[in-house]
Amino acid sequence: MTNIGAERFLPAEVSLSALREAARGCEGCELFRNATQTVFGEGDPSARYLLVGEQPGDQEDRTGAPFVGPAGRMLDRGLGEAGIERGAVYVTNAVKHFKFVLRGKRRIHQKPTAAEIDACRPWLDAEMRLVDPAVTIVLGATAARALLGPSFRVTRQRGVPVPRREGAFYVATIHPSAILRAPEPEDAYAGFLADLRTAAALGSATG
């Protein structure tokens, strides 16, 4: 099977609840075969801030909710210190199934391919249209590729507002999991927090 894309699995009724239910049956790429379940976005449907990560991790795949593992806890810390209430945001991923390889009993994360990102794009596009946030916080290179294109480089363009439409912006930063892997995690966190504070100020200014 090739990556046929998610478009044919989208529901006729376009609402977040209908999308979430339809996404359970998505077979738009091969990742559905090994993942436990689809992990769709969740949060405030009228959120001012929408956060997009890469894909579910091991704990997200098991629970069915985004950003509940170690990276999610790091994200919670950053949002809290930046003054963005986690309960008032919408969080999702560019890819909705966990991609991994088995090493013994452990499931080790693998980065999605460009084809897998593109196949899953219709779900993210639909979420973006429905939530229509003032600020979209782009977490890491995979989300940046999905939303800002393959030429965008988080390392060079992080923390800089990029217009999405009139009155709405993207702000890219590193994925919180990168902080956990960094040789100097507090330095990495400081940069992450600075980017989140930029997004918070932008959201307040566009309010």
Side-chain angles (χ1 to χ4, degrees), residues 5 52 102 106 149 158:
V52 183
L102 278 173
R106 295 182 64 207
R158 61 182 295 178

Side-chain angles (χ1 to χ4, degrees), residues 11 42 56 81 84 177 199 205:
E42 63 179 33
E81 292 186 27
I84 299 173
S177 63

Side-chain angles (χ1 to χ4, degrees), residues 64-113:
F67 286 98
V68 295
R73 291 189 287 276
M74 184 63 70
L75 178 61
D76 287 348
R77 175 188 168 191
L79 291 175
E81 292 186 27
I84 299 173
E85 184 183 348
R86 170 71 188 257
V89 304
Y90 186 92
V91 293
T92 192
N93 284 296
V95 173
K96 311 302 191 198
H97 286 113
F98 181 34
K99 182 178 182 178
F100 62 91
V101 291
L102 278 173
R103 290 184 187 162
K105 294 184 178 180
R106 295 182 64 207
R107 302 192 300 172
I108 306 299
H109 159 277
Q110 277 196 311
K111 185 176 181 178
T113 65

Side-chain angles (χ1 to χ4, degrees), residues 143-154:
R145 189 202 182 283
L147 292 170
L148 297 167
S151 64
F152 188 92
R153 293 292 178 267
V154 173

Side-chain angles (χ1 to χ4, degrees), residues 5-202:
E7 190 73 41
R8 68 184 66 185
F9 300 96
L10 266 62
E13 175 199 347
V14 183
S15 68
L16 288 173
S17 59
L19 286 169
R20 186 175 293 107
E21 183 60 35
R24 295 177 190 273
C26 185
E27 298 179 1
C29 75
E30 291 287 330
L31 297 185
F32 82 94
R33 297 188 183 280
N34 295 321
T36 304
Q37 59 192 314
T38 305
V39 181
F40 204 72
E42 63 179 33
D44 185 347
S46 59
R48 178 160 293 276
Y49 302 93
L50 187 149
L51 290 84
V52 183
E54 180 186 86
Q55 64 166 336
D58 181 75
Q59 292 186 38
E60 289 81 5
D61 176 70
R62 297 179 193 278
T63 63
F67 286 98
V68 295
R73 291 189 287 276
M74 184 63 70
L75 178 61
D76 287 348
R77 175 188 168 191
L79 291 175
E81 292 186 27
I84 299 173
E85 184 183 348
R86 170 71 188 257
V89 304
Y90 186 92
V91 293
T92 192
N93 284 296
V95 173
K96 311 302 191 198
H97 286 113
F98 181 34
K99 182 178 182 178
F100 62 91
V101 291
L102 278 173
R103 290 184 187 162
K105 294 184 178 180
R106 295 182 64 207
R107 302 192 300 172
I108 306 299
H109 159 277
Q110 277 196 311
K111 185 176 181 178
T113 65
E116 289 159 350
I117 297 167
D118 292 345
C120 209
R121 179 65 187 266
W123 297 116
L124 181 57
D125 285 345
E127 289 174 295
M128 292 286 297
R129 284 193 299 271
L130 288 168
V131 180
D132 192 23
V135 181
T136 302
I137 301 174
V138 182
L139 301 169
T142 295
R145 189 202 182 283
L147 292 170
L148 297 167
S151 64
F152 188 92
R153 293 292 178 267
V154 173
T155 51
R156 294 201 301 265
Q157 297 163 276
R158 61 182 295 178
V160 178
V162 176
R164 182 174 70 84
R165 59 161 175 77
E166 186 176 357
F169 300 87
Y170 298 104
V171 175
T173 188
I174 59 174
H175 195 282
S177 63
I179 301 168
L180 302 173
R181 300 190 302 268
E184 300 290 343
E186 285 307 312
D187 289 346
Y189 178 76
F192 176 68
L193 180 57
D195 296 337
L196 291 184
R197 284 176 169 156
T198 296
L202 196 60

